[in-house]
């Protein structure tokens, strides 16, 4: 199996730990104690606490921008200390390490993992494993050992049944496409579960009406600056999903909604309002 090893290797980190406490720094210390030559890249440590779906979305939005062979350590782990497994994965020429709770589901979408193992070999853990901090004691050292060239087969037995995240999927209902908000960023932009490419295929060039929780979104545009300040709009976000935004404002505040909010696209022949289409 080709590994695409990097020299020096890269380990990215994504967690819900925040930066107030020492958790992130300690994980980095563990990694550097095993491989002082590794390059560490923070994706984010502001995943909403315990929000596996948000962590999965953010990881999906970031991992592919790193070179093959990069190792992605992701820890959003509300089940820490339970019987949930910890995983190391080689998929799409990248490595992933973290809890088996669906955090990597969007990486596997459309492609089976090349290799998945359950982390069960104590020689690759810290000598004392806490029941509350597997990110430090199991996952960080595992990522470090992978960066040194340790094969996945040495880390534990193979498995074929990783936990799949039960994310909502868009659905068709007559002449409407129904979706929902799955993530809100710090700008108040609301990201839906509707891939923009799928929206374009469905509409076949026809104008559409858009609503969020019944509130009209009057403009479907290509860039934010196409509408006046304070105006609600929809566009294709950098992540490839349909995004609801407010020019120089917060769509989340304007619409009083967040993850779980209902997004409805309706073909123009069924509605009176016809937003501009990019």
């Amino acid at each position: 199996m080709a590994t695409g090893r990097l020299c020096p290797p890269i380990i990215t980190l994504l967690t819900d730990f925040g930066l107030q406490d020492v958790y992130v720094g300690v994980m980095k210390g563990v990694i550097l104690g095993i491989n002082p030559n590794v390059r560490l890249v923070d994706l984010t440590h502001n995943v909403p606490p315990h929000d596996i779906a948000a962590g999965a979305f953010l990881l999906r939005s970031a991992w592919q921008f790193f070179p093959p062979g990069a190792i992605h350590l992701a820890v959003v782990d509300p089940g820490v200390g339970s019987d949930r497994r910890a995983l190391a994965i080689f998929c799409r020429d990248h490595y992933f390490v973290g809890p088996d709770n669906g955090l990597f589901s969007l990486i596997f979408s459309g492609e089976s993992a090349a290799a998945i193992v359950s982390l069960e070999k104590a020689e690759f853990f810290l000598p004392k494993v806490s029941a509350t901090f597997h990110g430090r004691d199991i996952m960080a050292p595992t990522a470090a050992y992978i960066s040194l060239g340790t094969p996945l087969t040495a880390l534990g037995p193979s498995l074929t049944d990783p936990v799949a995240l039960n994310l909502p999927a868009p659905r068709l209902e007559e002449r409407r496409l129904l979706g929902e908000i799955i993530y809100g960023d710090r700008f108040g932009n609301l990201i839906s579960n509707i891939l923009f490419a799928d929206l374009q295929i469905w509409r076949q060039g026809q104008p559409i009406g858009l609503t969020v929780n019944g509130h009209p979104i009057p403009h479907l545009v290509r860039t934010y600056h196409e509408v006046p300040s304070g105006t609600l709009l929809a566009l294709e976000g950098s992540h490839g999903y349909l995004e609801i935004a407010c020019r120089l404002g917060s769509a989340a505040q304007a619409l009083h909604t967040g993850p779980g909010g209902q997004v409805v696209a309706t073909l123009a022949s069924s509605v009176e309002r016809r937003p501009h289409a990019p």
Side-chain angles (χ1 to χ4, degrees), residues 133-185:
F133 201 175
H134 287 183
R136 177 194 66 192
D137 300 338
I138 295 177
M139 300 166 194
T142 294
Y145 281 115
I146 292 173
S147 76
L148 290 173
T150 302
L152 263 60
T153 52
L155 302 174
S158 297
L159 59 87
T160 58
D161 60 341
V163 170
L165 196 61
N166 186 24
L167 289 174
R171 56 191 177 89
L172 287 173
E173 183 181 279
E174 296 181 352
R175 295 178 62 80
R176 302 193 303 168
L177 179 62
L178 309 180
E180 71 175 63
I181 302 302
I182 57 172
Y183 183 73
D185 69 16

Side-chain angles (χ1 to χ4, degrees), residues 126-241:
L126 292 191
K128 182 178 180 180
V129 175
S130 164
T132 62
F133 201 175
H134 287 183
R136 177 194 66 192
D137 300 338
I138 295 177
M139 300 166 194
T142 294
Y145 281 115
I146 292 173
S147 76
L148 290 173
T150 302
L152 263 60
T153 52
L155 302 174
S158 297
L159 59 87
T160 58
D161 60 341
V163 170
L165 196 61
N166 186 24
L167 289 174
R171 56 191 177 89
L172 287 173
E173 183 181 279
E174 296 181 352
R175 295 178 62 80
R176 302 193 303 168
L177 179 62
L178 309 180
E180 71 175 63
I181 302 302
I182 57 172
Y183 183 73
D185 69 16
R186 71 183 300 269
F187 294 101
N189 300 323
L190 300 170
I191 293 89
S192 77
N193 62 346
I194 300 173
L195 282 167
F196 195 81
D198 290 345
L199 175 72
Q200 297 291 68
I201 292 170
W202 169 74
R203 61 185 285 218
Q204 296 184 337
Q206 299 181 66
I208 57 172
L210 283 172
T211 63
V212 174
N213 288 348
H215 192 292
I217 309 301
H219 303 281
L220 179 61
V221 296
R222 190 175 66 87
T223 64
Y224 300 108
H225 80 277
E226 294 179 39
V227 301
S229 297
T231 301
L232 288 167
L233 61 100
L235 78 177
E236 180 181 13
S238 62
H239 33 67
Y241 287 88

Side-chain angles (χ1 to χ4, degrees), residues 5-237:
R5 298 248 180 237
L6 294 171
C7 187
I10 294 172
I11 297 178
T12 75
L13 296 98
L14 178 147
T15 76
D16 59 350
F17 296 165
L19 295 175
Q20 175 177 328
D21 302 299
V22 301
Y23 306 132
V24 173
V26 167
M27 287 177 60
K28 291 181 178 180
V30 168
I31 293 168
L32 293 170
I34 295 169
N35 185 357
N37 296 316
V38 74
R39 289 180 289 177
L40 299 174
V41 178
D42 296 296
L43 295 181
T44 183
H45 300 292
N46 289 322
V47 177
H50 317 304
D51 193 336
I52 299 167
F57 169 77
L58 292 170
L59 184 62
R60 178 217 179 269
S61 300
W63 70 270
Q64 68 269 33
F65 295 102
F66 289 83
I71 301 156
H72 305 283
L73 174 57
V75 186
V76 180
D77 195 15
V80 63
S82 69
D83 60 357
R84 70 96 186 89
R85 299 170 299 194
L87 304 179
I89 301 158
F90 183 72
C91 181
R92 300 177 186 258
D93 293 325
H94 287 243
Y95 295 90
F96 301 88
V97 178
D100 183 23
N101 57 14
L103 190 56
F104 304 110
S105 293
L106 298 182
I107 310 301
F108 300 151
S109 178
E111 180 176 321
S112 298
I116 310 174
V117 300
S118 176
L119 303 183
E120 298 180 11
K121 298 295 184 69
E123 58 263 38
F124 298 106
F125 306 163
L126 292 191
K128 182 178 180 180
V129 175
S130 164
T132 62
F133 201 175
H134 287 183
R136 177 194 66 192
D137 300 338
I138 295 177
M139 300 166 194
T142 294
Y145 281 115
I146 292 173
S147 76
L148 290 173
T150 302
L152 263 60
T153 52
L155 302 174
S158 297
L159 59 87
T160 58
D161 60 341
V163 170
L165 196 61
N166 186 24
L167 289 174
R171 56 191 177 89
L172 287 173
E173 183 181 279
E174 296 181 352
R175 295 178 62 80
R176 302 193 303 168
L177 179 62
L178 309 180
E180 71 175 63
I181 302 302
I182 57 172
Y183 183 73
D185 69 16
R186 71 183 300 269
F187 294 101
N189 300 323
L190 300 170
I191 293 89
S192 77
N193 62 346
I194 300 173
L195 282 167
F196 195 81
D198 290 345
L199 175 72
Q200 297 291 68
I201 292 170
W202 169 74
R203 61 185 285 218
Q204 296 184 337
Q206 299 181 66
I208 57 172
L210 283 172
T211 63
V212 174
N213 288 348
H215 192 292
I217 309 301
H219 303 281
L220 179 61
V221 296
R222 190 175 66 87
T223 64
Y224 300 108
H225 80 277
E226 294 179 39
V227 301
S229 297
T231 301
L232 288 167
L233 61 100
L235 78 177
E236 180 181 13

